[in-house]
Amino acid sequence: RELQLTREVRKRLHSVLDADELYAPVRHVSRGTEPKKLVLTFKKQRRKDFPDLLRLLPDDGAGDADASLRENFREAVRFAERASVGEEKKFVFEAQHRRRVHDFFDCPEYWHVSHQTVKDKILFKIKWSPTAADDPMRAVAHDHPDGIAKEMLDVEEAVNSVDRAAGAANRAPAPEI
């Protein structure tokens, strides 16, 4: 789904989506030129779908074709698994590897990690504790990433309804007592 929004609304929506675990399975990217479109898709890949990157994790030296990629990738995974909420760190990845690294960190195991390219680096930030994975809604999202779409639409409808009601309440005269 694509939404054409102003810059301010896009930035606000990005921060709302990043802050709420309910929206963790939703990838949100701004594309195009102004007025940019906010593209929403569901993250479907799993960690096991990345054998090329997973082979870089063990200490056995396998897959040492690019030592820089290996070292930075291992550090990024270690950071994602051990850092505290709010911590952030930048890692340098060559341009040809960045998209693949972003895709890897879109897996459910790393939904608690924000990652974005800033200049020639990827900035990683811990959004919430990975132990929040005990949440039953998160388990549903892991098993059925498409099933959460209706939940999101219902939440959006409810928020809009509350906004409309609040606006009407602000315009309505106070009842006499």
Side-chain angles (χ1 to χ4, degrees):
R1 177 172 261 187
E2 291 184 9
L3 303 170
Q4 189 167 327
L5 305 167
T6 65
R7 184 177 192 282
E8 294 78 26
V9 172
R10 274 195 329 272
K11 287 184 71 78
R12 183 169 170 246
L13 191 54
H14 277 302
S15 64
V16 168
L17 292 172
D18 277 340
D20 194 331
E21 294 174 54
L22 178 65
Y23 301 116
V26 179
R27 171 185 280 145
H28 46 100
V29 180
S30 294
R31 295 239 166 93
T33 57
E34 289 297 336
K36 289 185 179 183
K37 293 184 176 166
L38 181 66
V39 180
L40 303 172
T41 56
F42 283 97
K43 303 171 186 175
K44 294 185 181 191
Q45 65 268 24
R46 301 284 190 235
R47 185 179 154 131
K48 68 179 189 247
D49 296 337
F50 297 89
D52 57 324
L53 292 174
L54 291 173
R55 71 181 162 70
L56 300 175
L57 293 177
D59 288 328
D60 62 8
D64 250 346
D66 186 341
S68 169
L69 170 64
R70 178 187 182 86
E71 170 106 9
N72 286 322
F73 181 70
R74 292 175 73 194
E75 282 297 314
V77 169
R78 231 183 327 267
F79 174 79
E81 292 175 351
R82 297 185 182 146
S84 300
V85 174
E87 277 188 67
E88 53 185 59
K89 189 168 184 179
K90 290 181 183 175
F91 295 95
V92 178
F93 289 96
E94 293 179 22
Q96 75 256 24
H97 300 301
R98 277 188 221 122
R99 178 76 259 148
R100 194 79 175 139
V101 170
H102 279 297
D103 288 344
F104 179 85
F105 282 98
D106 276 342
C107 293
E109 296 87 350
Y110 300 108
W111 282 349
H112 67 285
V113 180
S114 168
H115 49 96
Q116 64 187 63
T117 300
V118 178
K119 299 193 178 170
D120 292 333
K121 300 175 183 174
I122 298 179
L123 171 65
F124 291 86
K125 183 175 181 181
I126 307 301
K127 300 186 286 191
W128 59 77
S129 170
T131 57
D134 299 334
D135 180 9
M137 273 306 291
R138 191 129 194 250
V140 169
H142 279 258
D143 296 336
H144 308 287
D146 290 331
I148 204 157
K150 179 162 180 5
E151 299 288 330
M152 286 179 52
L153 293 174
D154 291 346
V155 168
E156 180 182 353
E157 187 177 310
V159 167
N160 290 339
S161 174
V162 168
D163 286 345
R164 283 191 301 275
N170 291 337
R171 291 187 299 274
E176 290 185 37
I177 299 178

